[in-house]
Amino acid sequence: MANDGLLIILSGPSGCGKGTIVSRILKEREDTILSVSVTTRAPRPGEIDGFHYRFITAEEFDNMVQRNDLLEYAQYSGNCYGTPRTAVEEHIKAGRNVILEIDVQGALQVMQRCDDYVSVFLTVPSMEELEKRLRGRGTEEESRVQARLTAAKEELEYVDRYQYRVLNDDLDEAVEQIHRIIETEKSRKNPQ
Ligand code: ADP
Ligand code: 5GP
């Protein structure tokens, strides 16, 4: 029987590089997958339904909450986001590490509800650099950029609630640190 996989919570302010790092990790490891969240936000150009997110209506979201289908959920910058529970549980039982790329509110819920998880907070060298990355991505209107920067300042206050903090300055270095965390936690969970 396969050992259970890890439940990995990855948070960090919008624009810090979570998506970039996760896609590298997924490319470089066959044992790890990303949980596909549901959201009421509109897709960005290039985002694929069922891959980046499942894009659903507010009504569908409420139904999932009522049915207790979500492991955690939160509102972020005016939209709702949540993690479908069953898929996460099945992947972990099958031995796959599951990354939840979620905001701080959702992360705190998972920390409360699950007794075995690995939590990582991704940071940036400065707020100026965060703003540069957020604008450089070119996906947000000006008012949205401001809302995300305000949310970022609030989120940074929760960094101490996480087991690991990783600075995303040099991208390769940050990716390498996440690989090391996964290896360390795998051997902790399943000692040979
Ligand atoms: P998030 O998923 O946290 O919102 P993204 O992965 O979309 O962030 O990254 C935001 C922008 O920052 C993207 O344009 C990305 O290419 C860029 N970026 C990511 N990591 C770095 C890095 N280490 N140095 C410079 N730019 C980066
Ligand atoms: P974005 O709109 O930039 O894709 O995501 C905005 C924020 O929502 C990010 O901090 C992202 O990590 C978070 N997020 C994405 N999916 C989920 C989810 O399922 N639950 C929670 N709580 N946050 C999520």
Side-chain angles (χ1 to χ4, degrees), residues 33-176:
I33 61 126
L34 174 67
S35 158
V36 180
S37 298
V38 291
T39 182
T40 60
R41 134 162 118 55
R44 293 182 184 132
E47 279 185 334
I48 300 163
D49 189 30
F51 181 75
H52 295 97
Y53 283 105
R54 261 175 62 210
F55 297 98
I56 62 174
T57 62
E59 195 186 345
E60 287 171 310
F61 192 93
D62 288 343
N63 287 338
M64 291 187 84
V65 172
Q66 295 307 324
R67 287 197 305 261
N68 198 24
D69 285 349
L70 300 178
L71 175 61
E72 61 72 37
Y73 62 94
Q75 272 208 21
Y76 186 97
S77 221
N79 296 302
C80 299
Y81 298 83
T83 302
R85 179 196 306 281
T86 317
V88 170
E89 289 170 354
E90 286 175 359
H91 282 300
I92 287 179
K93 277 213 189 77
R96 288 184 277 274
N97 307 318
V98 178
I99 301 180
L100 307 184
E101 194 196 311
I102 60 178
D103 83 326
V104 166
Q105 308 162 68
L108 296 177
Q109 293 170 38
V110 178
M111 290 176 197
Q112 223 170 31
R113 290 173 194 165
C114 303
D115 43 33
D116 203 2
Y117 58 82
V118 182
S119 56
V120 181
F121 195 96
L122 200 63
T123 59
V124 268
S126 65
M127 286 304 286
E128 289 72 30
E129 174 64 18
L130 182 66
E131 191 165 348
K132 209 169 101 192
R133 288 185 194 174
L134 210 44
R135 287 187 203 286
R137 194 171 66 187
T139 53
E140 249 62 45
E141 292 167 19
E142 183 54 31
S143 63
R144 295 273 176 194
V145 170
Q146 291 307 331
R148 278 166 190 258
L149 288 171
T150 306
K153 283 182 194 134
E154 286 165 15
E155 294 208 277
L156 284 163
E157 288 175 19
Y158 289 88
V159 60
D160 291 343
R161 306 286 275 273
Y162 290 71
Q163 295 156 325
Y164 294 93
R165 177 196 301 212
V166 172
L167 175 68
N168 180 21
D169 188 358
D170 179 80
L171 181 63
D172 290 337
E173 172 63 22
V175 169
E176 198 42 48

